[in-house]
Amino acid sequence: MARTANTVSTPRTASSLLRPAGVTASRTRRPLVSRQRVVAPSLRVADAAAASVFEAARLRGPIARDAIAKATGLSIATVNRQVIALLEAGLLRERPDLAVSGAIGRPRVPVEVDHDPYLTLGIHIGARTTSIAATDLFGRTLDVVETPTPRGAQPGAVASLAESARRYLSRWHRRRPLWVGVAAGGVFDVTTGHLDHPLLGWTDAPVGPVLAETLGLPVSVAPHLDAMAAAELLLGRSRRRGTTSLFMYARETVGYALSIAGRVHSPAAGPGTIAALPVNSDLLGGTGQLETTVSDQAVVTAARRLNVIPPEGPASTIAAVLRAAQRGDSTARELLDERARVLGESLALLRDMLNPDEVVVGGQAFTDYPAGMETLTAAFTTRSVLPPLEIRTTAFGNRVQEAGAGVVSLGSLYADPIGAMRRALDAPRTSARVLTGQHATG
């Protein structure tokens, strides 16, 4: 079986590539032509015939048609029809060089995903940093850049974000971009692509429409917690149908998402919050609520108070706290272990309320300090009143945010590959704008 591993290149800062364009965006709703390119995300394991055949090729290819029929439960006639349609759409390619010796007829010719010609663009808008990543049809990150999340007045910040994406996309000319996926905190209207993000000061920000207009591509947007849970569901190891998976995230913010029976649960009113769960830590301080106690900023503030790091300057960061712990600084380790304890107890409360079949954690609060997982697990086990349950760390390590944005860009292709391909290739791309200044990347 081919593994759709998420191979990630080292992120590069690219201030010259991602500099603000100095343009502005209207706060009013964009014209209908732009809004029509905003497509609600599909964060689920699809079961339509074309989707099932494409998934079999993606996960098991190169694979013969009869093997696809066995893997999906579809008739060989249905598989043949879908394979022909996917070949015509350019999503699959035949591998006659791998055909069984002596076999007669095309059904024995294996097929695989034709990933070389295409990419999708995933954008994760963080509270401090934005990642822009190119992803192939397997969900593997081809390349990623990071830039500070645009600040300032909302129209200029959104326009700067779109221009950064345009500049990045202009570097790719050997692969055709098909779709854009955006993941962010706050609350998205997934049908219009507008975002309310209190930490950034954005209200009804037209992120989806501005990106669609600037890039000339279909755009899907999703809350970042839903997106990261979808990455585990579609690209990671949480693929058991009929089960419930709880995903908990912690970095500068905290949150959770649920996948139920192969679909990320996305309430119409937006995701719930665990930021205000009551907690107590004399060492970390905070306001008695989870997010203000375990966020990166809370750890940094406590580390400054305890003289682990300087009170200000470039050495006064969460990275400096982590480095101090790695060097054996006992106070730094105590702070990070205390954060792990608080997170473990809060995770236990969440688990006891929802009683999922599996628990997955992601975000740098977990992945940047793996030594804390032992403390977290002990606190979780002690606090939970339900039978023991293994806690699994995300399959994507400290790149889970990029994986989430990548899945948002791929969800429509996975759910309706032929329809999504038609929409992507029919998109009226403004080629001269998007492809200006391209060079040999891709």
Side-chain angles (χ1 to χ4, degrees):
M1 180 186 298
R3 179 75 180 97
T4 57
N6 213 52
T7 56
V8 180
S9 61
T10 302
R12 297 165 289 108
T13 57
S15 56
S16 60
L17 175 66
L18 302 174
R19 62 183 181 274
V23 295
T24 59
S26 171
R27 294 191 65 177
T28 60
R29 299 278 179 172
R30 290 280 167 168
L32 183 61
V33 66
S34 292
R35 297 209 306 274
Q36 286 176 333
R37 295 185 212 153
V38 176
V39 182
S42 179
L43 306 180
R44 60 188 176 89
V45 178
D47 54 8
S52 296
V53 171
F54 185 67
E55 179 184 64
R58 178 170 64 87
L59 296 178
R60 302 166 182 260
I63 183 172
R65 291 164 174 80
D66 57 348
I68 294 176
K70 183 177 181 180
T72 61
L74 298 170
S75 70
I76 191 65
T78 299
V79 169
N80 281 332
R81 286 195 299 271
Q82 299 305 326
V83 166
I84 290 170
L86 290 164
L87 287 168
E88 292 176 348
L91 287 168
L92 295 185
R93 61 189 175 199
E94 292 187 313
R95 292 293 305 275
D97 56 310
L98 299 178
V100 177
S101 178
I104 301 175
R106 298 189 74 184
R108 300 297 299 173
V109 175
V111 295
E112 65 183 8
V113 173
D114 190 8
H115 62 92
D116 291 330
Y118 308 113
L119 65 82
T120 62
L121 196 68
I123 302 172
H124 178 264
I125 306 171
R128 298 179 183 274
T129 303
T130 290
S131 300
I132 303 177
T135 302
D136 72 5
L137 297 186
F138 288 113
R140 300 177 298 201
T141 299
L142 301 170
D143 180 74
V144 59
V145 294
E146 293 183 346
T147 182
T149 298
R151 297 289 176 173
Q154 175 177 301
V158 174
S160 176
L161 177 71
E163 178 64 9
S164 294
R166 187 199 67 78
R167 289 179 183 274
Y168 179 73
L169 199 59
S170 73
R171 301 175 61 251
W172 296 85
H173 67 90
R174 295 176 185 168
R175 292 176 182 257
R176 176 164 185 166
L178 298 176
W179 213 278
V180 180
V182 184
V187 179
F188 267 119
D189 182 333
V190 298
T191 60
T192 67
H194 286 241
L195 171 65
D196 290 337
H197 198 308
L199 287 178
L200 297 179
W202 294 1
T203 303
D204 201 31
V207 174
V210 170
L211 281 166
E213 182 176 276
T214 302
L215 303 180
L217 292 168
V219 177
S220 295
V221 301
H224 70 158
L225 288 163
D226 289 359
M228 288 182 277
E232 295 294 328
L233 180 66
L234 296 176
L235 302 176
R237 302 190 292 270
S238 301
R239 300 191 53 80
R240 292 180 296 159
R241 295 178 185 270
T243 63
T244 302
S245 177
L246 168 64
F247 179 84
M248 183 180 186
Y249 173 83
R251 188 182 189 182
E252 196 58 62
T253 60
V254 295
Y256 78 99
L258 277 175
S259 297
I260 304 172
R263 179 188 296 267
V264 176
H265 176 59
S266 301
T273 180
I274 57 173
L277 281 181
V279 299
N280 180 65
S281 173
D282 294 335
L283 185 62
L284 290 170
T287 63
Q289 297 182 345
L290 179 60
E291 187 167 281
T292 61
T293 303
V294 301
S295 69
D296 281 358
Q297 186 57 52
V299 175
V300 167
T301 299
R304 290 168 178 166
R305 185 181 71 248
L306 296 171
N307 298 317
V308 174
I309 56 176
E312 58 185 14
S316 185
T317 63
I318 187 66
V321 179
L322 290 164
R323 287 194 297 270
Q326 291 165 359
R327 291 194 303 266
D329 186 304
S330 59
T331 305
R333 288 182 175 180
E334 188 178 359
L335 283 170
L336 295 171
D337 284 337
E338 176 68 355
R339 172 159 73 169
R341 179 194 67 79
V342 174
L343 284 169
E345 292 185 353
S346 299
L347 180 59
L349 289 172
L350 195 58
R351 181 268 176 121
D352 287 356
M353 285 190 294
L354 300 173
N355 196 19
D357 299 298
E358 69 171 1
V359 174
V360 184
V361 296
Q364 280 73 3
F366 304 106
T367 57
D368 276 357
Y369 186 62
M373 285 302 297
E374 183 177 349
T375 301
L376 183 144
T377 300
F380 173 86
T381 302
T382 301
R383 183 65 181 83
S384 177
V385 299
L386 295 179
L389 184 66
E390 180 185 4
I391 301 171
R392 181 166 59 79
T393 305
T394 174
F396 305 99
N398 62 4
R399 314 316 304 181
V400 66
Q401 295 93 340
E402 293 155 17
V407 156
V408 177
S409 72
L410 289 164
S412 291
L413 283 162
Y414 287 178
D416 180 15
I418 295 170
M421 198 68 170
R422 185 180 302 116
R423 181 190 287 267
L425 297 182
D426 286 348
R429 294 189 64 209
T430 50
S431 301
R433 293 173 60 198
V434 174
L435 300 180
T436 299
Q438 59 186 226
H439 56 81
T441 296

